Amino acid sequence: MNIDRDKLSPMMKKYLETKDEYPDCILFYRLGDFYEMFFDDALLASRILDIALTGKACGLEERAPMCGVPYHSASSYLTRLVEAGYKVAIGEQVEDPATAKGLVKREVVKIVTPGTLLEDDSLEKSSNNYLMAIYCQGHEVSIAYVDISTGELNASLLDLDKVKNEVAKILPREVLSNSPDLLGSLGSLSDMANIYLNEDFDTSLLDKTIITKQFEQSYLDQLGLDRDNLIMYSLAIVLNYISKTQMMHESNLNTINIYQSGDYMALDLFTRINLELTKTIRTSKKKGSLLQVLDATSTPMGARMLKKHIEQPLINKDIIDHRLNITQEIKEDYILRDELKTSLSSIFDLERICAKIAYDRVSPKDLVNLKNSLEVLPYITDTISNSKAYVLKTFIEDLDCLRDIYMLIRDSIKDEPATGTKDGNIIREAYSDELDQLRDISNNGAFMIRDIEQREREKTGAKSLKIGYNKVFGYYIEITKASLLQIDIDESYIRKQTLVNAERFITPELKEIEDKILNAEDKIKAMEYNFFKDICGQ
């Protein structure tokens, strides 16, 4: 769409400047309570999302095409755009509109792609959401794939002719590669399995310095990864891409699982489909598949693990026997199995809660769910300790039940907090004396004003004295002129307005209380938000 930018309004110029920085993305531009899209993005998004296309005055003769979605329910719209194969840049207001001078400052705070989804509404609880990088050097290939919603990071070396089967096994949501030819060869697989082949490869993604920022060199040496190891390139691609889209260097990636593709049975996509491992041919649903028959898991983490075990059959006998030994211990001890199932059913999705903390996407309710999950861990360890399950006991030898984290959340976050982080109603009473004082002022402001009114009547002897409020002066003391003739008022009374039958005054004490009452709610919300961020940091 050709646009004469010289004629555009200041806001629309700023929008297009931001859009220029992210030309391959649909830009969600925060205006008030909506994410708005304009011009070509609006035409495209309105068709995909089936939402009304309107217009906005923009300085041109014709109104700019516009559509929008409410910010509090944006995740479902994001999911639809991403599933349709588009990337979305989220442009947020980064300063308070109430205090901003001129245009409210807005910046893109993250880019949402199929392989970097973190929103609960966008993710299947029982499935991983993998981002895969494939680095080609002749016939040698390294792959790395990561689920940022769980913190799982895997890497391997393989031959070029085995890449397609490996992709079919892992079924990533998004694939990046330095080889356009390889991406082209995955076209039919991509169409069948709904894999987004990201062709916007940038050589800056190959910068390996990010790996040593994320992991200690001693840990990399332990894994056998020196700077020239081919795996370092695929790791660099995924880590740089995550940093680029999430716009932060912190992450929940702590370990790298280096595996051999030969440890797993090689199955092409057609074989997987015909075996109906995780979904049926006719309905493409879980019901009727092998997964549905076997799945009696109690947690989202267990459901994802079981699905992975079915999709990636082992061929190493020792590992298979170890897995069967664990299963046998639980199968043969009914009391152990029943108690574990009861305890595990109270555990929330710890992996994804931790990811949301790491990427600054966590809600107060998530922290409550984390606390409630941690409360159950001692019961699980006691159950296993009191059993005869020898192999299971090895899993709890060094297990940290995170009692300090449990206590921190228990003592700070309300049991039923607000949904948003900036809405207040998050922090418990008695967590902060200053916060409690502000709440007392907010809840009892009327009583405080009445108390001042009574004291000033007694001090001045003016029975007609009363305290009122208007938007121009705020709180004021009003005394009739007849009463003023009979009393003496001190220098703390500052005259603000003369009426026909009365005079209005303010005092330093009244203005101080006014500031506390009128700003208490905003101060409470700001203070609770800061406490919440501090708790997440801890």
Side-chain angles (χ1 to χ4, degrees):
M1 185 177 289
N2 292 322
I3 301 166
D4 186 350
R5 299 197 178 192
D6 292 335
K7 296 180 179 179
L8 288 174
S9 62
M11 190 282 288
M12 204 59 74
K13 281 182 181 176
K14 188 63 182 173
Y15 166 82
L16 286 179
E17 286 172 11
T18 307
K19 175 66 181 172
D20 288 342
E21 296 178 36
Y22 304 92
D24 58 336
C25 299
I26 293 174
L27 176 58
F28 270 29
Y29 204 63
R30 179 74 178 271
L31 295 175
D33 290 336
F34 282 80
Y35 288 119
E36 303 288 6
M37 289 151 278
F38 301 98
F39 299 112
D40 290 338
D41 279 1
L43 296 171
L44 178 63
S46 64
R47 176 171 52 81
I48 296 170
L49 300 176
D50 193 24
I51 56 178
L53 183 69
T54 60
K56 180 177 178 64
C58 61
L60 303 176
E61 290 183 13
E62 294 185 9
R63 291 160 65 86
M66 178 182 82
C67 67
V69 299
Y71 84 95
H72 54 78
S73 60
S75 61
S76 61
Y77 296 101
L78 272 173
T79 303
R80 288 163 64 185
L81 289 171
V82 167
E83 287 180 346
Y86 296 94
K87 296 189 288 186
V88 182
I90 308 297
E92 283 287 1
Q93 295 172 172
V94 293
E95 62 179 346
D96 188 348
T99 58
K101 295 180 180 179
L103 286 175
V104 177
K105 188 178 180 181
R106 294 174 177 85
E107 291 179 358
V108 171
V109 296
K110 65 175 176 175
I111 299 171
V112 183
T113 73
T116 58
L117 287 167
L118 280 170
E119 289 75 12
D120 287 336
D121 296 345
S122 308
L123 295 168
E124 253 188 88
K125 288 185 178 180
S126 59
S127 298
N128 285 100
N129 193 75
Y130 290 124
L131 164 71
M132 177 183 281
I134 306 174
Y135 180 77
C136 296
Q137 187 172 289
H139 286 281
E140 290 185 295
V141 174
S142 75
I143 69 165
Y145 63 95
V146 60
D147 182 348
I148 69 168
S149 75
T150 66
E152 178 190 345
L153 175 58
N154 305 278
S156 186
L157 292 171
L158 60 156
D159 294 330
L160 185 60
D161 59 358
K162 294 181 179 178
V163 169
K164 194 173 289 187
N165 280 351
E166 196 69 11
V167 174
K169 179 181 80 178
I170 296 159
L171 291 178
R173 287 293 308 279
E174 182 175 1
V175 176
L176 292 154
S177 179
N178 67 318
S179 170
D181 291 340
L182 185 140
L183 283 185
S185 72
L186 296 175
S188 58
L189 177 59
S190 163
D191 293 338
M192 292 175 64
N194 191 28
I195 299 170
Y196 173 57
L197 302 178
N198 191 334
E199 298 176 356
D200 301 317
F201 186 82
D202 184 340
T203 54
S204 66
L205 296 176
L206 294 172
D207 182 0
K208 290 181 285 187
T209 56
I210 194 169
I211 302 173
T212 49
K213 289 178 181 177
Q214 185 70 37
F215 302 100
E216 294 287 340
Q217 185 61 52
S218 58
Y219 175 69
L220 297 173
D221 293 341
Q222 181 185 332
L223 293 175
L225 296 177
D226 57 46
R227 282 194 59 82
D228 295 326
N229 193 301
L230 210 63
I231 285 177
M232 294 288 276
Y233 290 98
S234 54
L235 285 173
I237 294 170
V238 290
L239 293 176
N240 280 310
Y241 189 71
I242 291 167
S243 177
K244 180 180 175 182
T245 56
Q246 303 308 300
M247 300 190 177
M248 58 194 308
H249 295 298
E250 299 296 324
S251 81
N252 59 332
L253 306 177
N254 303 310
T255 59
I256 308 168
N257 172 41
I258 307 293
Y259 72 98
Q260 304 295 324
S261 62
D263 290 340
Y264 303 94
M265 188 179 294
L267 300 171
D268 61 36
L269 186 61
F270 288 104
T271 303
R272 293 173 181 279
I273 291 171
N274 288 324
L275 286 174
E276 298 188 311
L277 297 177
T278 58
K279 56 187 177 182
T280 62
I281 297 173
R282 190 169 61 86
T283 64
S284 292
K285 301 289 185 184
K286 176 183 172 183
K287 186 176 182 181
S289 69
L290 175 62
L291 177 61
Q292 189 256 329
V293 173
L294 295 178
D295 192 356
T297 55
S298 299
T299 69
M301 295 87 74
R304 290 193 292 271
M305 178 185 284
L306 177 64
K307 186 168 187 263
K308 196 184 308 175
H309 286 179
I310 292 172
E311 290 176 331
Q312 303 180 24
L314 292 167
I315 59 174
N316 183 303
K317 184 178 183 298
D318 291 338
I319 303 175
I320 293 171
D321 283 339
H322 180 66
R323 189 181 287 176
L324 289 173
N325 289 339
I326 299 169
T327 308
Q328 185 175 359
E329 284 187 339
I330 301 173
K331 172 183 175 291
E332 293 180 352
D333 189 334
Y334 172 79
I335 294 175
L336 170 66
R337 186 171 71 251
D338 189 58
E339 289 184 359
L340 281 179
K341 192 170 182 66
T342 300
S343 295
L344 288 169
S345 63
S346 301
I347 301 267
F348 289 85
D349 199 333
L350 294 177
E351 289 179 330
R352 286 184 170 164
I353 292 174
C354 290
K356 287 194 280 186
I357 294 172
Y359 292 105
D360 198 21
R361 310 273 195 273
V362 71
S363 72
K365 183 64 176 174
D366 289 325
L367 289 194
V368 173
N369 291 342
L370 175 58
K371 177 201 72 175
N372 292 338
S373 299
L374 297 183
E375 188 175 17
V376 182
L377 289 189
Y379 298 102
I380 293 175
T381 56
D382 288 346
T383 298
I384 295 172
S385 295
N386 296 329
S387 75
K388 296 179 180 179
Y390 170 76
V391 184
L392 268 189
K393 286 181 180 179
T394 64
F395 285 94
I396 64 168
E397 286 174 355
D398 301 315
L399 182 67
D400 183 354
C401 286
L402 305 174
R403 197 67 185 166
D404 54 336
I405 302 296
Y406 167 78
M407 299 284 284
L408 172 65
I409 301 172
R410 186 200 67 178
D411 295 342
S412 60
I413 306 295
K414 290 185 175 183
D415 290 333
E416 296 291 338
T419 304
T421 58
K422 296 184 178 181
D423 301 330
N425 194 34
I426 299 172
I427 304 299
R428 282 187 183 279
E429 284 74 18
Y431 182 74
S432 160
D433 291 341
E434 187 180 359
L435 181 59
D436 287 346
Q437 288 172 8
L438 282 171
R439 283 172 171 161
D440 185 54
I441 290 169
S442 178
N443 295 331
N444 301 305
F447 295 106
M448 297 171 73
I449 292 295
R450 214 170 294 157
D451 181 57
I452 293 174
E453 184 180 71
Q454 184 61 36
R455 280 192 284 108
E456 292 300 320
R457 273 186 196 151
E458 292 173 359
K459 185 174 81 171
T460 63
K463 294 181 179 179
S464 67
L465 183 149
K466 64 181 180 180
I467 295 180
Y469 175 84
N470 65 34
K471 291 182 179 179
V472 178
F473 302 123
Y475 285 102
Y476 56 81
I477 296 172
E478 183 175 297
I479 306 174
T480 63
K481 288 181 177 179
S483 293
L484 281 171
L485 294 173
Q486 302 171 13
I487 63 170
D488 290 321
I489 55 175
D490 60 36
E491 66 278 0
S492 66
Y493 275 65
I494 303 165
R495 182 176 274 103
K496 288 298 292 182
Q497 188 180 22
T498 300
L499 304 178
V500 175
N501 297 316
E503 296 283 349
R504 288 177 176 174
F505 305 87
I506 59 171
T507 67
E509 180 191 22
L510 189 60
K511 297 315 286 181
E512 183 181 345
I513 292 295
E514 175 190 299
D515 178 65
K516 289 181 177 179
I517 292 173
L518 296 184
N519 297 316
E521 201 62 38
D522 289 338
K523 288 179 179 178
I524 288 168
K525 289 179 180 179
M527 191 176 291
E528 290 203 48
Y529 175 74
N530 289 332
F531 279 133
F532 179 75
K533 301 304 285 185
D534 179 60
I535 292 160
C536 290
Q538 293 183 53

